[in-house]
Amino acid sequence: MNSERSTIEPAEGSWSISDDRAFVLIDMLSDHRDRRRHALRTARSRRWLDSYGEVVVRSVLLGTTSTMERDEYARALRHDGRDHTLVLDHVGGFVLVTSERRSASPVDEWVRSVAPAGVRISAIGSAVLHADEDDLLGVVDEARTAAEIVGQVGDALGSTRAEDLGGWRLLHAIGGGPQLVTSASPAADELWHADPVRRETVETYLDAGCNVVVACERLHIHRTTLYYRLDTMPEVVRDALADGLKRSTLHLSLKLLRLWNDVPTASERSSASSRRRRVPETRAVAPVRQLHPQSAGTE
């Protein structure tokens, strides 16, 4: 997709008829860089996009649907979005290039609202094409990556924008599999095969920057309960929490496993929470303070 097989630029007047919109859109994702640049300039000069300022590129990934359903959805997008959105066919879905200020409603809502029955939207990811950028392809790749991450991780991200997913984008680029985590962080491997309560406790605690107050708020538990859970973790996990580099590796490894295994978040598991095997807890156990580097300043 990113190969640059030619630098031959079409003549500026190569698109001149009134119904050539489809040809311009095809060239916006061409393998030829100059064709992509020329197509983008054409779209801006004809005011299909804002001539100045940013536009938002969305990658919309679809679940398995029939060709008929996909075509019906494409027609709906092109008809309803013609004044503010260019619709480009792409692998597994569509790329939407949107002039946000022209849209009468939030674009993500519109994308979902025009989907016909039978069309399932797996994920939407976005990236920004800045005013000084003249090539769409790199931004499309960023939006696609964001959509793939959203589809794998879900609501735990809090955002669908590529610029907000820096750490996840880095992890997404890492090759390998669970075996890599087993060797890099035995603590993460231990937690991944442990009670889900333990895994979520540690992951939330690390997400909170080891801030006890914030972690307790997110987990909806008392501070003493959090201390107990941490202090009764397997030794390999407690050892990782007490060491800066091991703690960072544990955090990243848990995220990698979530990305690779598509594990549901806590909110998605809430309906099954009563069936989970819980680690016995009590609020009478005193915490072991040395495992919690920020405890003293957060109580």
Side-chain angles (χ1 to χ4, degrees):
M1 179 102 184
N2 288 305
S3 60
E4 306 294 348
R5 293 200 294 266
S6 173
T7 58
I8 300 174
E9 183 169 347
E12 288 294 326
S14 59
W15 300 304
S16 58
I17 58 176
S18 59
D19 61 347
D20 63 357
R21 183 182 177 103
F23 296 100
V24 178
L25 300 189
I26 289 172
D27 269 2
M28 291 183 79
L29 295 182
S30 169
D31 286 340
H32 304 276
R33 182 171 183 267
D34 287 333
R35 287 189 179 183
R36 296 195 304 269
R37 296 172 65 191
H38 180 51
L40 182 58
R41 286 198 303 271
T42 300
R44 281 175 162 158
S45 67
R46 297 187 184 184
R47 301 203 55 80
W48 299 343
L49 294 173
D50 288 338
S51 299
Y52 302 98
E54 298 176 345
V55 296
V56 177
V57 177
R58 285 178 175 79
S59 175
V60 180
L61 303 184
L62 304 181
T64 303
T65 60
S66 70
T67 301
M68 182 180 300
E69 290 167 343
R70 178 189 170 94
D71 290 346
E72 183 182 357
Y73 185 38
R75 286 193 295 271
L77 288 171
R78 292 186 175 110
H79 178 270
D80 292 350
R82 191 174 181 90
D83 291 337
H84 57 77
T85 297
L86 301 181
V87 181
L88 313 177
D89 285 310
H90 199 46
V91 180
F94 299 98
V95 169
L96 309 181
V97 188
T98 303
S99 299
E100 300 282 292
R101 65 182 183 85
R102 300 187 193 177
S103 177
S105 60
V107 174
D108 283 4
E109 290 182 11
W110 164 70
V111 169
R112 297 182 186 281
S113 69
V114 299
V119 171
R120 182 177 64 85
I121 298 175
S122 299
I124 301 174
S126 66
V128 173
L129 178 72
H130 298 285
D132 59 348
E133 293 182 292
D134 62 359
D135 191 348
L136 195 67
L137 195 57
V139 184
V140 170
D141 287 344
E142 290 184 10
R144 174 77 183 204
T145 297
E148 290 175 351
I149 293 170
V150 170
Q152 290 170 295
V153 181
D155 294 339
L157 295 170
S159 176
T160 62
R161 303 187 310 171
E163 54 266 36
D164 295 335
L165 303 177
W168 286 106
R169 289 164 63 189
L170 180 63
L171 294 174
H172 184 271
I174 295 176
Q179 301 88 343
L180 174 63
V181 170
T182 301
S183 59
S185 178
D189 184 63
E190 173 73 25
L191 285 172
W192 208 252
H193 297 94
D195 189 294
V197 174
R198 281 183 162 174
R199 180 172 66 236
E200 178 150 44
T201 297
V202 172
E203 188 172 2
T204 303
Y205 177 62
L206 294 173
D207 286 347
C210 300
N211 185 305
V212 171
V213 174
V214 174
C216 288
E217 289 175 351
R218 294 179 181 176
L219 290 166
H220 306 290
I221 59 176
H222 190 272
R223 184 169 58 244
T224 307
T225 301
L226 176 61
Y227 287 143
Y228 176 77
R229 290 186 186 180
L230 294 175
D231 297 337
T232 56
M233 289 288 167
E235 182 179 357
V236 65
V237 176
R238 288 186 284 114
D239 178 60
L241 290 174
D243 179 275
L245 183 56
K246 289 182 180 179
R247 185 166 59 243
S248 297
T249 305
L250 167 60
H251 195 191
L252 292 177
S253 296
L254 289 174
K255 297 305 183 187
L256 269 175
L257 287 170
R258 186 177 292 282
L259 192 63
W260 288 337
N261 289 275
D262 194 14
V263 172
T265 63
S267 59
E268 294 167 331
R269 291 199 305 266
S270 60
S271 61
S273 61
S274 62
R275 299 192 297 273
R276 294 191 299 195
R277 179 174 60 86
R278 296 184 178 274
V279 178
E281 297 174 356
T282 175
R283 296 185 178 182
V285 177
V288 180
R289 301 290 175 160
Q290 62 268 28
L291 289 181
H292 320 303
Q294 294 190 16
S295 297
T298 57
E299 294 186 19

